[in-house]
Amino acid sequence: MHFNLVSVLSLFHKEDILYEDFHSSGHRYEHPGGGGEQLAINELISDGSVVYAEALWDHVTMDAQELGFKAGDVIKVIDATNKEWWWGCIMDSEGWFPASFIRLRVNQDDPVEEYMSYLEEAEAGDEEQAGPGLPCKEQMRANVINEIMSTERDYIKHLKDICEGYIKQCRKRTDMFTEEQLLTIFGNIEEIYRFQRKFLKGLEKKFNNEQPHLSEIGCCFLEHQTDFQIYSEYCNNHPNACIQISKLMKVNKYMFFFEACRLLQKMIDISLDGFLLTPVQKICKYPLQLAELLKYTNPQHRDYTDVEAALNAMKNVARLINERKRRLENIDKIARWQSSIEDWEGEDVLVKSSELIFSGELNKLSQPQTKSQQRMFFLFDHQMVYCKKDLLRRDILYYKGRMDMDQVEVTDVEDGKEKDFNISVKNALKLQFGEEVHLLCAKKLELKQRWLRAFADERKQVHHDRETGFSLTEVQKKQAMLNAGKQHVVSKPKGMHSGLQKKGNTSLPYCDFLLRQKHPSLPAALPQQQVFMLAEPKRKTTFWHNIGRLTPFKK
C-alpha cells in the first residue's frame, strides 16, 4: 500500500481510517526494544542464545554503570527486560545502554569473531608499535580534525532534520500541538541549529582541506565559548521533553504522526526522543574531541595554545551546564521545604534565592530584648530564614522571620563582654543591617567558624551568579511552587507533618523492575544527564542530605 506522507501528516484524526491503513502498511514505528521484538529477544536470551546488536549512535558516558560505545560497535545483549535500557557487554566492558541507540543484527547466526579479532589486533598493534610503524603525529592530528569536521557536518544535517522534519510539520497542526507543548518537546533546538550553522562556517574557514593537520580550529571554540551556554537551557528542559513525548506516544494519533514526519524527512529509524538526545551528547563530546586533538598537536604547532585553551573552555561550559542543572533541581527541593513550614509569611524563598548554602541551630539574641531564643537558620543566596521548632514534634518548623543578606554586615565577635548588648558571649557572630542588630551564638567554636565560611560562600555565590548571568525565570519559580503545593497535599500521610521524605521514590520509574534485577541500579531515565558527568565538577555534600532530623529535607 502506498501513501503520500504529506497527506498522512495533514489528515491524521482519530476517526480517520488512515490509522488502520498506516498501521497495516508495514511501516516500522517502534524503537528497538519495543513490543513483540523485545519479547522475542528475551525468549532468545532465556533459551541460552547469544544476541548481538549494532550501535547506531555513539553512546558517550562517564557513568561506571553504563556501557559506552561508538556507532558501528557490536554489542552482546545480556538482558532486554526493560524497554528503554538494556544490559550488554563489549569485550570486557559491561553495563546499561539505551535500547534506542542500537539495532539488532539481521542474522544472529553470523559470527562476530572476525569483528572481535579485528578489535584485539588493533589494540595489540597500538601497544607493540611505538613510533616508526604508526602513522606520523601529523597524520593522527589530521584524522582527528577530519572527524571533528565530519561529525559537525552530520550534526548540522541532524538538527536540520529535526527543525524541518518535525517542528515545521508540528506547527502546521495547531489542532494537535500548542506552542507551549512544542517548546517543552523541542526546547531551544532551533536556536542551537542557528548557532551551530554559524559555528560550522567558522570551522570551514579554518579547515585546511589539502593538509588537515595544519588546520587551526582552536580559536573557533574560544570565539564561541559563551554561545555554547545556550545548551544549558536545552539540557535543563530535556527531561521534561522526554516526559511530554512519552505521554503523546501513548496516543496512536501522535505516534503515527511523528513516524510520518520521520519518513517524510527520510530520517533513519530512531525514535523522536533518540533524535532529541543528540544535542546533549554533542556538548558532551566536544571536550573529548578537543582532548584527542591536543594529544596529537605538537607544542610547537600554531594551534596548540588555542586548542589547550579551547579544551578548558569547553570543560567549563560542561561545568556551568552541570551547575545550572543542579540549581534547577534544587529549586523543587526549596519549594517543597517552604511548603512544609508552618505559618509562612511574606514572599516565596524562590523570589530571590535558588540555593541553600548552609543551615543549623543557633541561639539568637536581638535588641531591645536580650532573651536567648533557639532557632533553626537556613542560609540561602540573598537571604536567611529562621524558624522555631515545635516543642513536641521537633520535625515541625514555624516561620519566625528572615534577613536580607544583601544588606547584612557579618562580624566575628570575640569571646567576652559584647558592648552593644552588654552581656558576655561565646562563639558569637553579629549581624547588622540598618538599625537592627542580632547576635547569633553557636554551641562550639568549629560551628561558628563554619558559619563564617558559609556567609563568605553566600557572597561568592551571589557574585558568581551575577558574572554568569544565572537567574530563574518566573515560569520556573511558579511551576516549582505549584508542584510543591500539589505534592504537599497529595503525599501528606495522616498524622504526619510532611511526606517529603518519600519523594525520592517518585523519580524511580522502574522501581518494580529493579527489585527483580541482578545488575547494578538501572539509570533513572534516558541518558540526558551524561553531559553533567563529563566535566567531573567538584562534588560537595549538600545540606539537604545532612539535616537528617528534619523531615522536610529527607529524600
Side-chain angles (χ1 to χ4, degrees):
M1 189 177 294
H2 177 72
F3 286 100
N4 182 328
L5 288 173
V6 178
S7 301
V8 171
L9 286 170
S10 62
L11 293 176
F12 268 141
H13 289 288
K14 227 170 193 176
E15 64 272 19
D16 284 339
I17 194 147
L18 281 173
Y19 276 116
E20 276 188 38
D21 290 345
F22 191 76
H23 192 298
S24 62
S25 66
H27 286 301
R28 182 176 175 209
Y29 56 87
E30 293 181 340
H31 62 72
E37 183 186 58
Q38 183 186 2
L39 184 63
I41 295 165
N42 283 317
E43 286 179 358
L44 282 171
I45 295 171
S46 299
D47 292 341
S49 301
V50 180
V51 176
Y52 290 103
E54 180 186 355
L56 292 170
W57 299 84
D58 292 351
H59 181 220
V60 184
T61 179
M62 299 297 280
D63 190 328
Q65 291 186 5
E66 291 184 28
L67 182 68
F69 48 72
K70 290 187 176 182
D73 284 354
V74 174
I75 304 158
K76 180 181 177 182
V77 181
I78 299 173
D79 191 330
T81 310
N82 182 262
K83 182 179 179 181
E84 304 291 352
W85 287 91
W86 291 359
W87 184 267
C89 69
I90 300 175
M91 299 185 73
D92 295 330
S93 300
E94 202 170 302
W96 295 107
F97 63 90
S100 59
F101 277 42
I102 58 92
R103 66 180 170 201
L104 295 172
R105 294 175 66 93
V106 176
N107 186 354
Q108 288 293 332
D109 296 328
D110 285 347
V112 294
E113 282 78 6
E114 289 183 17
Y115 176 78
M116 293 302 184
S117 174
Y118 165 75
L119 289 179
E120 288 170 4
E121 286 174 10
E123 286 188 2
D126 286 346
E127 292 174 4
E128 290 170 9
Q129 298 178 359
L134 280 176
C136 64
K137 201 168 186 179
E138 285 78 8
Q139 182 58 52
M140 297 300 288
R141 187 176 201 275
N143 293 343
V144 177
I145 291 284
N146 284 330
E147 183 194 359
I148 290 173
M149 297 303 299
S150 174
T151 55
E152 204 63 31
R153 291 165 187 147
D154 290 342
Y155 181 47
I156 291 294
K157 169 68 166 60
H158 180 91
L159 293 175
K160 180 182 178 182
D161 284 344
I162 293 173
C163 292
E164 296 185 4
Y166 285 105
I167 301 178
K168 189 176 178 181
Q169 298 296 343
C170 288
R171 286 207 173 109
K172 293 178 182 177
R173 297 306 308 269
T174 54
D175 58 314
M176 291 177 67
F177 302 96
T178 64
E179 275 301 318
E180 187 178 352
Q181 272 183 312
L182 294 181
L183 187 61
T184 301
I185 295 171
F186 298 102
N188 64 332
I189 199 166
E190 289 174 301
E191 183 185 6
I192 290 174
Y193 177 40
R194 289 191 295 272
F195 159 66
Q196 290 291 160
R197 281 190 299 176
K198 182 172 67 173
F199 178 65
L200 179 58
K201 283 181 182 177
L203 286 177
E204 297 282 11
K205 288 179 182 178
K206 296 293 182 179
F207 177 57
N208 188 325
N209 194 47
E210 299 298 323
Q211 296 178 295
H213 68 280
L214 296 180
S215 302
E216 300 174 26
I217 64 171
C219 60
C220 298
F221 288 91
L222 293 176
E223 182 183 345
H224 295 286
Q225 57 182 302
T226 55
D227 297 325
F228 280 108
Q229 292 179 17
I230 61 173
Y231 277 86
S232 178
E233 181 182 336
Y234 187 85
C235 294
N236 289 335
N237 177 71
H238 190 257
N240 297 327
C242 292
I243 293 170
Q244 182 69 245
I245 292 169
S246 178
K247 288 178 181 177
L248 294 179
M249 284 299 191
K250 292 176 183 176
V251 181
N252 284 342
K253 176 168 69 172
Y254 289 95
M255 182 171 64
F256 297 142
F257 177 84
F258 285 134
E259 177 63 0
C261 288
R262 184 187 70 78
L263 292 170
L264 181 65
Q265 193 68 16
K266 299 179 180 178
M267 300 165 75
I268 60 172
D269 190 4
I270 296 290
S271 59
L272 176 57
D273 54 359
F275 284 117
L276 294 178
L277 177 63
T278 309
V280 181
Q281 285 205 312
K282 186 62 179 177
I283 198 68
C284 174
K285 195 169 183 179
Y286 280 129
L288 301 178
Q289 289 179 320
L290 288 168
E292 193 74 1
L293 181 59
L294 186 64
K295 178 180 175 183
Y296 296 112
T297 303
N298 284 313
Q300 296 78 24
H301 196 291
R302 290 175 55 180
D303 201 25
Y304 184 87
T305 303
D306 282 350
V307 171
E308 187 176 42
L311 174 58
N312 290 327
M314 294 310 293
K315 282 183 176 180
N316 285 333
V317 168
R319 287 192 187 99
L320 181 63
I321 293 173
N322 175 62
E323 173 65 13
R324 290 185 174 182
K325 176 68 178 174
R326 185 185 63 79
R327 294 282 290 278
L328 284 176
E329 289 171 347
N330 274 349
I331 72 172
D332 289 325
K333 296 177 184 177
I334 292 173
R336 292 200 302 267
W337 169 79
Q338 182 186 313
S339 72
S340 73
I341 303 297
E342 301 290 344
D343 302 337
W344 186 268
E345 294 179 10
E347 65 186 17
D348 295 331
V349 174
L350 293 178
V351 171
K352 286 185 177 179
S353 308
S354 60
E355 177 88 349
L356 176 67
I357 309 294
F358 193 57
S359 61
E361 263 184 321
L362 293 168
N363 287 318
K364 173 178 167 290
L365 295 92
S366 304
Q367 293 177 331
Q369 298 91 4
T370 56
K371 181 182 176 182
S372 178
Q373 298 174 321
Q374 192 177 59
R375 295 287 182 261
M376 231 2 243
F377 285 84
F378 300 89
L379 177 61
F380 299 91
D381 53 312
H382 297 288
Q383 63 185 312
M384 183 162 66
V385 176
Y386 52 97
C387 304
K388 178 184 177 181
K389 287 184 177 180
D390 187 87
L391 291 174
L392 297 177
R393 290 288 310 279
R394 303 295 282 173
D395 58 344
I396 296 179
L397 297 174
Y398 297 90
Y399 177 86
K400 287 300 175 183
R402 73 180 87 192
M403 302 177 192
D404 184 350
M405 296 309 298
D406 293 333
Q407 308 297 325
V408 168
E409 182 182 347
V410 180
T411 308
D412 184 2
V413 179
E414 292 183 5
D415 292 349
K417 195 159 190 177
E418 207 287 318
K419 60 180 182 179
D420 290 335
F421 285 77
N422 198 29
I423 57 172
S424 292
V425 295
K426 188 176 182 181
N427 305 325
L429 302 165
K430 184 192 289 186
L431 274 63
Q432 185 167 358
F433 49 104
E435 296 182 359
E436 279 192 52
V437 182
H438 301 277
L439 278 182
L440 305 181
C441 300
K443 291 180 180 178
K444 295 181 180 180
L445 176 62
E446 293 79 7
L447 184 56
K448 169 190 167 178
Q449 292 171 338
R450 181 64 190 86
W451 272 103
L452 284 170
R453 291 198 300 273
F455 286 124
D457 290 343
E458 186 271 337
R459 290 292 88 193
K460 288 178 185 174
Q461 183 72 65
V462 170
H463 179 69
H464 176 71
D465 288 347
R466 283 174 185 156
E467 280 193 331
T468 59
F470 176 82
S471 63
L472 301 177
T473 66
E474 290 303 318
V475 173
Q476 289 167 339
K477 296 173 189 176
K478 193 177 293 184
Q479 189 61 50
M481 292 308 299
L482 186 64
N483 292 342
K486 288 178 181 177
Q487 291 179 0
H488 191 54
V489 172
V490 171
S491 66
K492 194 173 181 181
K494 291 182 180 179
M496 292 292 288
H497 172 63
S498 170
L500 289 175
Q501 68 270 30
K502 298 180 182 179
K503 283 297 168 293
N505 294 338
T506 62
S507 64
L508 297 175
Y510 310 122
C511 48
D512 293 334
F513 166 75
L514 288 173
L515 294 174
R516 299 184 280 107
Q517 288 301 301
K518 60 184 179 293
H519 308 307
S521 297
L522 183 75
L526 284 172
Q528 66 264 21
Q529 306 294 345
Q530 293 155 3
V531 63
F532 313 121
M533 305 288 294
L534 174 66
E536 288 298 319
K538 185 178 179 183
R539 297 183 181 274
K540 296 180 180 177
T541 304
T542 62
F543 299 106
W544 304 105
H545 299 286
N546 292 340
I547 310 173
R549 296 196 306 154
L550 296 177
T551 299
F553 291 96
K554 288 186 181 178
K555 286 186 132 185

